[in-house]
Amino acid sequence: VARLAALCRTLRQWEAEGEEAGWAQAREEAEVVRLELQEVVRPLREPGYRETLRRKTERARKRRLRLQRRKQEAKAAKEEEAARAAEREAKIDQWRAKCIQEVEEKNREQELKAAADSVLSEVRKKQADTKRMVDILHALEKLRKLRKEAAARKGVCPPPSADEAFETQVESLKTLLKKRTELYEAEERALRVMLEGEQEEERRREMEKKQKKEREKLLQQKLEIASKLFGDPAEFPPAHLLQPFREYYLQAEHSVAALIQIRHEWDQYLVPADHPEGSCIPPGWVLPSLPTNDTWATAVR
């Protein structure tokens, strides 16, 4: 069209100047351009061409949108897989750290128990040695008594100073062995108290671990219930469309006045369990039922 317009201007110029040769040449070129333009426009005048062109354009647009959607889905799937991989790695690291901590605690407990058992066995060995020395001392007393009786039958009597020296030495040894026995018994009692304390501490740690697991389980259940009722908090930025509704349903957690008002409204409907026109308030959250069809599932998502 631009070429044809330029040739028309050239024809008017040649016509104004009276140049027949130039005008004829420009006219031939204009006729060729006009025929080319008619050839280009001809399909547009055929019946159904616009509909065919519209369908081609629509197919191209849908194909382009489909490719974009696949690209976005692939990107989202890749990001989701990366997030799941990161979550798995974090859980594995947490589990590994927990295992290492448990092994270290068990090793420390075994070392303490082994050390306590070693000390206790040493104390028991000392007690056995002391008891054996006491038995030897009693045997010496009995042996001296028998030898003294045998010497008396032969008419040989030791001087009283020898008996006194023997008795003094025996009493000194008995006193020493008694002190050692009491000392070893005190050590044994202290070690037993320490072992009992370690066992009590171990039982307390086990109880704390069990209670911690129970608290974590209850917290996870609470979070799951809250997520089913109000949605995932991570999916609700401050400017989210559903944020006002979330704030409305959770206002009792942040305001005592709102809690009292909600409780007052609930108390208006309190009825006995066997009332024919009503039922008692459930003790916990009433969880929604699962979607019954795919359409409702997409609406929930």
Side-chain angles (χ1 to χ4, degrees):
V1 172
R3 288 172 58 194
L4 188 59
L7 290 172
C8 288
R9 288 193 298 271
T10 304
L11 285 172
R12 284 192 291 270
Q13 182 180 359
W14 289 119
E15 185 178 4
E17 295 178 357
E19 292 288 341
E20 296 182 0
W23 183 87
Q25 183 179 0
R27 184 178 180 280
E28 292 178 359
E29 293 180 2
E31 185 66 20
V32 173
V33 174
R34 185 182 67 81
L35 294 176
E36 292 179 358
L37 184 59
Q38 285 181 350
E39 187 66 22
V40 172
V41 176
R42 184 179 57 80
L44 298 177
R45 296 176 178 175
E46 295 179 356
Y49 181 79
R50 290 184 179 181
E51 184 64 23
T52 303
L53 187 61
R54 187 189 65 80
R55 287 198 298 268
K56 289 182 179 180
T57 306
E58 184 66 18
R59 285 198 298 269
R61 187 183 67 83
K62 289 183 178 179
R63 181 174 179 273
R64 185 168 59 253
L65 291 177
R66 187 166 59 252
L67 292 176
Q68 291 178 356
R69 185 170 61 253
R70 289 180 180 176
K71 185 177 180 182
Q72 291 176 357
E73 290 176 354
K75 182 179 179 182
K78 186 176 181 181
E79 292 177 354
E80 185 177 358
E81 180 62 26
R84 287 198 298 265
E87 185 178 359
R88 287 195 299 268
E89 289 294 332
K91 289 183 179 180
I92 291 173
D93 294 339
Q94 184 179 3
W95 174 79
R96 185 185 297 112
K98 183 179 179 181
C99 292
I100 292 174
Q101 183 179 2
E102 291 178 355
V103 170
E104 290 178 352
E105 289 179 357
K106 288 183 179 179
N107 290 336
R108 286 196 297 270
E109 292 171 2
Q110 291 178 358
E111 290 176 358
L112 290 174
K113 186 177 180 181
D117 292 340
S118 176
V119 176
L120 185 60
S121 62
E122 187 68 24
V123 171
R124 288 177 177 174
K125 182 179 179 181
K126 292 178 180 179
Q127 288 178 340
D129 293 340
T130 304
K131 186 176 182 301
R132 187 169 61 254
M133 293 174 66
V134 171
D135 294 339
I136 292 173
L137 188 60
H138 287 318
L140 287 175
E141 288 180 333
K142 186 177 181 180
L143 178 61
R144 189 177 188 281
K145 181 179 179 182
L146 293 175
R147 286 184 177 182
K148 184 179 179 181
E149 291 176 354
R153 286 194 296 270
K154 294 180 181 180
V156 178
C157 295
S161 58
D163 293 337
E164 293 178 359
F166 180 79
E167 294 293 335
T168 302
Q169 189 68 22
V170 169
E171 290 297 329
S172 177
L173 291 174
K174 285 183 178 181
T175 303
L176 178 61
L177 293 175
K178 184 179 179 180
K179 290 181 179 181
R180 287 190 176 182
T181 302
E182 293 176 354
L183 177 61
Y184 296 152
E185 289 178 354
E187 289 183 2
E188 184 181 7
R189 287 194 298 270
L191 288 173
R192 290 187 179 279
V193 169
M194 184 179 70
L195 290 175
E196 291 177 359
E198 289 292 335
Q199 293 175 358
E200 183 65 27
E201 183 68 19
E202 176 64 21
R203 287 193 293 269
R204 185 183 64 82
R205 284 197 294 265
E206 291 294 333
M207 183 61 66
E208 289 180 353
K209 289 180 180 179
K210 185 177 180 180
Q211 293 176 355
K212 184 178 179 182
K213 290 181 179 179
E214 291 293 334
R215 287 195 299 269
E216 291 177 352
K217 184 178 179 180
L218 292 176
L219 179 60
Q220 184 64 27
Q221 292 178 353
K222 183 178 179 181
L223 292 176
E224 291 178 358
I225 292 175
S227 176
K228 291 180 180 179
L229 292 172
F230 309 112
D232 190 358
E235 299 179 358
F236 284 86
H240 196 274
L241 181 62
L242 298 179
Q243 184 63 24
F245 300 95
R246 179 179 176 82
E247 293 178 354
Y248 173 77
Y249 285 108
L250 297 180
Q251 59 180 333
E253 296 184 1
H254 309 286
S255 173
V256 179
L259 175 62
I260 295 175
Q261 178 64 26
I262 295 173
R263 182 57 188 266
H264 175 69
E265 294 175 357
W266 273 95
D267 290 344
Q268 294 178 354
Y269 300 95
L270 288 177
V271 294
D274 55 350
H275 197 279
E277 297 181 358
S279 60
C280 61
I281 298 176
W285 291 109
V286 180
L287 297 178
S289 59
L290 296 176
T292 56
N293 53 51
D294 297 337
T295 306
W296 176 235
T298 57
V300 172
R301 286 196 296 268

